[in-house]
Amino acid sequence: MKMWDGRFSKPSDALMEQFHNSLPFDKTMIEEDIDGSIAWARALKNIGIFSQQELDEVTNGLKGILDDFRHGEITFLHSDEDVHMAVERLLVERVGDAAARLHTGRSRNDQVATDTRMYVKKKLIALQSLVEELQRACVIRAQSDIEIIIPGYTHLQQAQPILLAHYWMSFFFALQREKSRIEHAIEITDIMPLGSGAMAGSGFNLDRDKLASDLGFSSVSYNSIDGVAARDFILESLSALASCAILISRYAEDIIIWSSKEFSFVEIDDAWSTGSSMMPQKKNPDSVELIRGKCGRFVGNYMRFATTCKGVGLTYYKDLQEDKEPIFDSLYQMEMILKVLTQVLLTIKVKNESIQKNLDPFLIATDLADYLVKKGMPFRQAHKVVGKIVGFSVESGIALDKLGYQKLSEFSELYTKDVEQLFVWETAVNNRDIPGGTARSSVDKQVEIALSMLQQ
Amino acid sequence: MKMWDGRFSKPSDALMEQFHNSLPFDKTMIEEDIDGSIAWARALKNIGIFSQQELDEVTNGLKGILDDFRHGEITFLHSDEDVHMAVERLLVERVGDAAARLHTGRSRNDQVATDTRMYVKKKLIALQSLVEELQRACVIRAQSDIEIIIPGYTHLQQAQPILLAHYWMSFFFALQREKSRIEHAIEITDIMPLGSGAMAGSGFNLDRDKLASDLGFSSVSYNSIDGVAARDFILESLSALASCAILISRYAEDIIIWSSKEFSFVEIDDAWSTGSSMMPQKKNPDSVELIRGKCGRFVGNYMRFATTCKGVGLTYYKDLQEDKEPIFDSLYQMEMILKVLTQVLLTIKVKNESIQKNLDPFLIATDLADYLVKKGMPFRQAHKVVGKIVGFSVESGIALDKLGYQKLSEFSELYTKDVEQLFVWETAVNNRDIPGGTARSSVDKQVEIALSMLQQ
Amino acid sequence: MKMWDGRFSKPSDALMEQFHNSLPFDKTMIEEDIDGSIAWARALKNIGIFSQQELDEVTNGLKGILDDFRHGEITFLHSDEDVHMAVERLLVERVGDAAARLHTGRSRNDQVATDTRMYVKKKLIALQSLVEELQRACVIRAQSDIEIIIPGYTHLQQAQPILLAHYWMSFFFALQREKSRIEHAIEITDIMPLGSGAMAGSGFNLDRDKLASDLGFSSVSYNSIDGVAARDFILESLSALASCAILISRYAEDIIIWSSKEFSFVEIDDAWSTGSSMMPQKKNPDSVELIRGKCGRFVGNYMRFATTCKGVGLTYYKDLQEDKEPIFDSLYQMEMILKVLTQVLLTIKVKNESIQKNLDPFLIATDLADYLVKKGMPFRQAHKVVGKIVGFSVESGIALDKLGYQKLSEFSELYTKDVEQLFVWETAVNNRDIPGGTARSSVDKQVEIALSMLQQ
Amino acid sequence: MKMWDGRFSKPSDALMEQFHNSLPFDKTMIEEDIDGSIAWARALKNIGIFSQQELDEVTNGLKGILDDFRHGEITFLHSDEDVHMAVERLLVERVGDAAARLHTGRSRNDQVATDTRMYVKKKLIALQSLVEELQRACVIRAQSDIEIIIPGYTHLQQAQPILLAHYWMSFFFALQREKSRIEHAIEITDIMPLGSGAMAGSGFNLDRDKLASDLGFSSVSYNSIDGVAARDFILESLSALASCAILISRYAEDIIIWSSKEFSFVEIDDAWSTGSSMMPQKKNPDSVELIRGKCGRFVGNYMRFATTCKGVGLTYYKDLQEDKEPIFDSLYQMEMILKVLTQVLLTIKVKNESIQKNLDPFLIATDLADYLVKKGMPFRQAHKVVGKIVGFSVESGIALDKLGYQKLSEFSELYTKDVEQLFVWETAVNNRDIPGGTARSSVDKQVEIALSMLQQ
């Protein structure tokens, strides 16, 4: 027997029951469903639908169901088509008549939208903290790697020397924007649709503001049609998480490359690596590869629900039931990724010695040009002069830092003895003391800013 | 203890084990894994790695594991990182030493690629049959609805009268192409990578052709790097299923619209509808809405794995482990959709009476123009003449079929008495007896072609 | 001759020049490029790279180029690989030596990031205004359609009667959230990367805050690596526009369905419809269909760049050049859609008469149940009672509102004479006077809130 | 004046004309449109609509338009809403009355589907040849690099030694499957919808088989509704090209990594590289990065049109006009990518010396285990033994190939003097002489197979 089959002359086909059953995934939000129902019961009591005694029965009944669920003592039936109907059935079995009043003025349409928003909000808030943990790991790394100079890359070609700490801080600041996107998604999610009924508004004028405050919502939806139909909070959450995953995939790529024997910049701790079933020598940065690979599912989950929503008219259609699996998956997977990556960063071994061996004197080429500019040569001309010097170095096989100022002065008279100081890595790094630059002072300042951001 | 940690000094972190564990989803293909291992053992025996007795032990051990798995008698451990390692661990526990020889010359890299191909191929073949079932339902509908004339739509505006059977047959022929795409995906999947080892080819020269024939593969991969790295068979399968889902979503849309009170063309059987928790009068075409909505997950699953694959270098990276969940989901969901939709079509009630009421005389406008053309008027001029007639009908409120030939002749002298025969729906329909057209004879021919396609 | 080929021994292949040339699309932001260069020149003057006279020459030269571009008097060369190089080449030709100093301390990496942010920000701000225009159209419609009662739908089945104005207001409030997303995208975009150099920070310590203020940026990037590598502002903008397009596609779907002869709720104005090349009677809601269809490109543009960004390591790679086409397309197309849809709404003809004919007495079923609840019956029981009544109505062919209270009382004694008042549509509508509901008072309140939102 | 506005009382708004105008992109297929019209005119002549003289006029008129278009002598008007209407307008201007008969029995719905299929088919065939060119480049590389041994990678960790030729051949065979997908897309595209009319079939019974043969189609569509509504040929083409782009992105990734100073395996020719506007030393593998980055647009184009198609009911809706831009873009971009990549491969410099320096003795670890297996030790045990050896080598700092057989024998007595031969790279490579393996003989065989495939 269904709650809704008064007008039906035939039961659902068994395959249909299996097909449209959402319990396997929507039971994830049983706590929110029960909290929502308790608040709803209280609101019904305030307009006289429930007596105090009935309210107590219903409230206790619901709490008991949640308790039993947590202890694995609930058995769901094939005919429980979703978590809402399952809870209502259980409640009827436990408290009888009073339960039959609970759905007064409420529809599954506003109920499911409310539950989902509560669940998503809770999880997004938890993710914000995990993003902060990852940011903290970036700062810790920056502090401990502050003396290490690595090649900065563009196009995976060595470009200019930078502090490794500068690199970690770039991740910190990018994550700050990801956090801001999650924050905005929370704001959009934090609107209570309850009271919207099936779509026209509840036929019972309950106090929606009181309900919202009971359930921890910051505001109530302005329009019942929108309240029931809107799924933009899901899309935005999916998009915010996809953005975060894309960012992370870029840093994961670097770490994978840096873990290669050829780069040998870092070594991922054994606890976060795996070996090969066939090749005994292998130690693979599996954790970070999987993090990179999982980027696809965040993008895919967004795509999936975007496609589902496209062109679905108002107000509620069953199509929208497809909202939960992708968002639940993205929320769970991001939690895992953030936790794992934080640990990977905290335990990663930086192989300073092999990094230093790898620094290429060509990294100083820009400084050689800037030197000329500072002595008055137009930049384009300086760029060409240094291009010729580089060409000479390549052909002659004499490294840039071994040419000596006299050889350099053959390319431009502006080069004098002091040019040789440019080849001290620290000089090159500290020359970029512009705000946001890689100079020690500039990176120290970044760390300071970061710490104050984390304290807010 | 891992199979691969000989060179590791520290165990995996518990979170890492949870994070990269694929057993929850890859156990789906335990049958393929075990079949693959049995064939592999046989091949090893042929090159002398196993004695006959050891082969028997291993084979029986593996069969026993599968049997126990099917009876729910296998307990997996947290440390079983995937189905391959789990099966190997269980085998070691059961047959000891012989098991330790099984992985000779094999890598999880070629093993997982082989298992996945076997599983996907099996499921795609099953889906082909289900597509045919749906096609059969189209033919059955076409045969039973052959007398029913409905408005054909473009832009959801009534365009020209058609046979409802003609509409169903359009679905049949479109599905034929979906079947062809699944066929091609099967061909691409039906290539055995086993023997590719980790990536360079197995160090033991087993008879790969024999292996392929044992495992039901049509051919073996030409190159071990490609054998291990390739995931295009997953992408193509995902794309073929997405294509099918998109097609189905278009027909689902029509059925949803046709189920509205305003159209009232069809009524979905109670067994495939649901009601409302709040509104007692509601009967909703939930099954078809869900089918439409699920289109998103097929597209999303494709997208998900496409994004994962993008830019992943050769040969194997852990990123590729993300291949299974999307393809398993798409295969399962398409199975459900095809089964449900077939039943929906077979049981749908066509409401001929309300359809007939709805046929708009404007549907004949093209025929009115064609009439003039057949009497020698250039089409563009005829189109304009009928445009004026339509305008007059709208303004005057006199339906097109009530104007009479005399009124029509005021717009063009070419109209004579016989023009009125155009307003018999059957005439209009049967005028389109071009191959592929909506005339009864043409649709009969389509049914004939369809039946012969199904027999191939 | 390239600006960068000092170390090259061979020119680019002609096909390569064509392949990586971005001028065809990045010339769109020539104004931003020139404004950026003028500000940069001023900053260089402040640190002594330019004399006042050189600054004037360069500034006038750049202004002249922009002026000439606007008058179509610029000829680009095949060798101009992007807008930055094209402008620099032109400037060299016009002012000579001074031009050669302009690129001092700057890289195309920070230049292009700066230009793109300026352009995207400008366009997003313009779109916010256009969203507001569309919101205004919703309010205007709500005000003018405030008396019209339509069926509210779920599952495209008539659910409950609502005010058409209530429907339009749902669009208004949903758009408010879209505006908020665009606002957040603007915030993220409004950060100046200039001064980041190639990636390590400029070697010349210019005043970045002054530069930001010159160029209208609210803040400067905290880290040069992030400044150059970040493209999250593009992704977020694409996502915000995709979200907006998805929302719009849902309303477009309804309008297309409402424009069908079967629904006949609205008629799109001739100015926004088209006809058929073949069928003289056709009037198609093409504008709204195209709006719905274009939803795909917004989602696709997001997808496109998300896939491009995935796994691209730091800092700059040529892959990132693929950012411009999708965002430019989404910005332009959204502008068109918003403008067109605003006009469509403002000019749409609401066909009240046919709407009223279409209202189905079953719309009152929930009210019949609520009536019983208000008299003390538990809702689940009331739902079943009304289910039976509905079933009787369907079978007997007697419309719900024609049953009369005596017949109704056979199903429940609680029904008395006053139940018949429920069948006055206005009563049903006004019963839902909960905040956000469809009652006239509630919708009036929504309009009031909307107007105050628009004034902020 | 429009061709279709007979019943309209008001012209289109100028913004509407701009919005729905498809001429800017669909004029790309003017040749197909004109060829289609010439064939159509001939078919009309055969059923008596045209006289021979009119046919000649129309044919010559159409040819003249194409000719003028190719010489840039056609001026389109704002009111030309698409290429079909533009051509018809021009034809009317040139040949008058006869032109007005051309649209007899045809609709833009079947016309545009026919044109698009012709265009897409033509371009896909061209792409097949370009894929073959790229395959040829792989074979050429394999032949010239047949002596070069590189580390084979999994997880970007050195795994086993392979022939570089073996790597190139993996690309060859993967491309063979891409070609097969394009082939299938061609088959699906190669079906003529002409004669389907607006959707019900043409009212004039022309010879469709003759038309198909005139236009080079292999078959005609079986059902007019499907003929007009189907866009799966676009989706499949987009998907086939996306698949190809994803494959290419994986090889591009490797080439980018191999071009780094740290790997130094290859150097892209100057003609296919670019430099930096700021850093004089830089030589960037821009061509390959852009190829990798462009992968996103293929996936995005697929996504874009998949989303558009989802849930669009039958038969034609304006939404479908969005099919052209993505497929045109994917076709064009793939052409460029294939041409560029072919040249990049043909001209790439392989740096054998630095590759050889980079080969790590650990690459032999699997062989060390296989050695034990061949002497009777179970593989799992052998894997552990070698794991210990590897661990010893790492800790002691003595390279694997420097341990000597005596040291090895301390780990297992099975190691005897002959084990040292394993450390000759050629031995390790040639040990993998299984079909598909990396042994010289096996790779030679692959080249042979490849050449015979290219000759088919």
Side-chain angles (χ1 to χ4, degrees), chain B residues 3 24 33 41 99 153 161 174 183 234 245 253 276 295 327 330 357:
Chain B
M3 303 291 177
D33 191 69
Y153 293 85
E183 180 64 37
I234 301 268
E253 167 93 356
S276 156
C295 177
I327 185 65
S330 284
K357 267 189 224 148

Side-chain angles (χ1 to χ4, degrees), chain C residues 16 37 39 44 95 104 121 169 222 404 412 417:
Chain C
M16 176 65 185
S37 284
L44 287 177
V95 310
T104 305
K121 191 178 82 169
M169 290 314 294
Y222 291 112
S412 165
K417 180 75 183 150

Side-chain angles (χ1 to χ4, degrees), chain A residues 153-155 158-159 253 261-262 276-277 279 281-282 289 303 307-308 310 358 360 366 380 383, chain D residues 153-155 158-159 253 261-262 276-277 279 281-282 289 303 307-308 310 358 360 366 380 383:
Chain A
Y153 293 84
T154 61
H155 309 264
Q158 294 199 8
E253 167 92 356
K261 173 186 163 293
E262 289 73 10
S276 156
S277 69
M279 298 168 287
Q281 86 282 15
K282 293 295 296 295
E289 293 166 48
M303 212 44 248
T307 307
T308 291
K310 178 253 163 178
N358 191 39
D360 186 330
T366 312
R380 275 291 160 237
H383 187 283
Chain D
Y153 293 84
T154 61
H155 309 264
Q158 294 199 9
E253 168 91 356
K261 170 185 164 295
E262 289 74 11
S276 158
S277 69
M279 297 168 288
Q281 87 280 17
K282 291 296 294 295
E289 293 167 49
M303 217 40 252
T307 307
T308 291
K310 179 251 162 179
N358 190 40
D360 185 331
T366 312
R380 275 291 161 238
H383 187 282

Side-chain angles (χ1 to χ4, degrees), chain C residues 198-296:
Chain C
M199 53 85 69
S202 175
F204 295 80
N205 197 344
L206 306 110
D207 185 342
R208 294 184 72 206
D209 289 325
K210 177 74 174 50
L211 264 172
S213 129
D214 268 21
L215 292 171
F217 280 102
S218 297
S219 65
V220 302
S221 58
Y222 291 112
N223 178 293
S224 61
I225 295 174
D226 182 40
V228 163
R231 287 297 183 278
D232 59 316
F233 73 100
I234 302 268
L235 275 175
E236 181 169 346
S237 301
L238 288 168
S239 162
L241 298 178
S243 175
C244 192
I246 290 168
L247 176 74
I248 286 174
S249 79
R250 299 182 66 182
Y251 284 86
E253 167 92 356
D254 278 354
I255 294 174
I256 292 166
I257 292 176
W258 290 1
S259 298
S260 69
K261 171 185 164 294
E262 290 74 10
F263 275 76
S264 288
F265 283 17
V266 295
E267 187 177 335
I268 291 183
D269 192 80
D270 277 12
W272 305 96
S273 308
T274 61
S276 157
S277 69
M278 188 185 211
M279 299 168 287
Q281 86 282 13
K282 292 297 294 298
K283 196 175 122 180
N284 301 322
D286 272 46
S287 51
V288 187
E289 293 167 49
L290 198 50
I291 285 172
R292 182 180 62 178
K294 278 179 189 290
C295 177

Side-chain angles (χ1 to χ4, degrees), chain D residues 354-366:
Chain D
S354 57
I355 293 173
Q356 298 321 307
K357 267 189 227 147
N358 190 40
L359 288 166
D360 185 331
F362 282 145
L363 286 162
I364 303 301
T366 312

Side-chain angles (χ1 to χ4, degrees), chain A residues 151 153-160 253 256-263 265 274-286 289 292 303 306-312 319 357-360 362-366 369-370 379-380 382-384 386-387 390 432, chain D residues 151 153-160 253 256-263 265 274-286 289 292 303 306-312 319 357-360 362-366 369-370 379-380 382-384 386-387 390 432:
Chain A
Y153 293 84
T154 61
H155 309 264
L156 205 57
Q157 301 295 317
Q158 294 199 8
Q160 294 170 340
E253 167 92 356
I256 293 166
I257 292 176
W258 291 0
S259 299
S260 68
K261 173 186 163 293
E262 289 73 10
F263 275 76
F265 283 17
T274 60
S276 156
S277 69
M278 189 183 209
M279 298 168 287
Q281 86 282 15
K282 293 295 296 295
K283 197 174 122 180
N284 301 320
D286 271 48
E289 293 166 48
R292 181 180 64 179
M303 212 44 248
T307 307
T308 291
C309 284
K310 178 253 163 178
V312 169
D319 309 56
K357 269 189 225 147
N358 191 39
L359 289 165
D360 186 330
F362 282 145
L363 286 162
I364 303 301
T366 312
D370 286 353
F379 176 74
R380 275 291 160 237
H383 187 283
K384 278 193 195 302
V386 179
V390 167
R432 293 187 170 75
Chain D
Y153 293 84
T154 61
H155 309 264
L156 204 57
Q157 301 295 318
Q158 294 199 9
Q160 296 170 340
E253 168 91 356
I256 292 166
I257 291 175
W258 291 0
S259 299
S260 69
K261 170 185 164 295
E262 289 74 11
F263 275 76
F265 284 16
T274 60
S276 158
S277 69
M278 189 186 211
M279 297 168 288
Q281 87 280 17
K282 291 296 294 295
K283 196 175 122 180
N284 301 321
D286 271 46
E289 293 167 49
R292 181 180 64 177
M303 217 40 252
T307 307
T308 291
C309 284
K310 179 251 162 179
V312 170
D319 309 57
K357 267 189 227 147
N358 190 40
L359 288 166
D360 185 331
F362 282 145
L363 286 162
I364 303 301
T366 312
D370 286 354
F379 177 73
R380 275 291 161 238
H383 187 282
K384 278 195 195 304
V386 180
V390 166
R432 294 186 170 75

Side-chain angles (χ1 to χ4, degrees), chain B residues 227-283:
Chain B
V228 163
R231 288 297 183 276
D232 59 316
F233 72 100
I234 301 268
L235 275 175
E236 181 170 346
S237 300
L238 288 168
S239 163
L241 298 178
S243 175
C244 191
I246 291 168
L247 176 75
I248 286 175
S249 79
R250 299 182 66 182
Y251 284 86
E253 167 93 356
D254 278 354
I255 294 174
I256 293 166
I257 292 176
W258 290 0
S259 299
S260 70
K261 173 186 164 292
E262 289 75 8
F263 275 77
S264 287
F265 282 18
V266 295
E267 186 177 333
I268 292 183
D269 192 80
D270 278 12
W272 305 97
S273 307
T274 61
S276 156
S277 69
M278 188 184 211
M279 298 169 287
Q281 87 282 13
K282 293 296 293 297
K283 196 176 120 179

Side-chain angles (χ1 to χ4, degrees), chain A residues 1-20:
Chain A
M1 279 304 292
K2 302 290 182 197
M3 303 290 178
W4 43 255
D5 61 1
R7 72 158 286 197
F8 281 65
S9 56
K10 208 199 256 187
S12 292
D13 190 279
L15 179 60
M16 177 64 184
E17 293 209 341
Q18 184 188 351
F19 184 57
H20 83 129

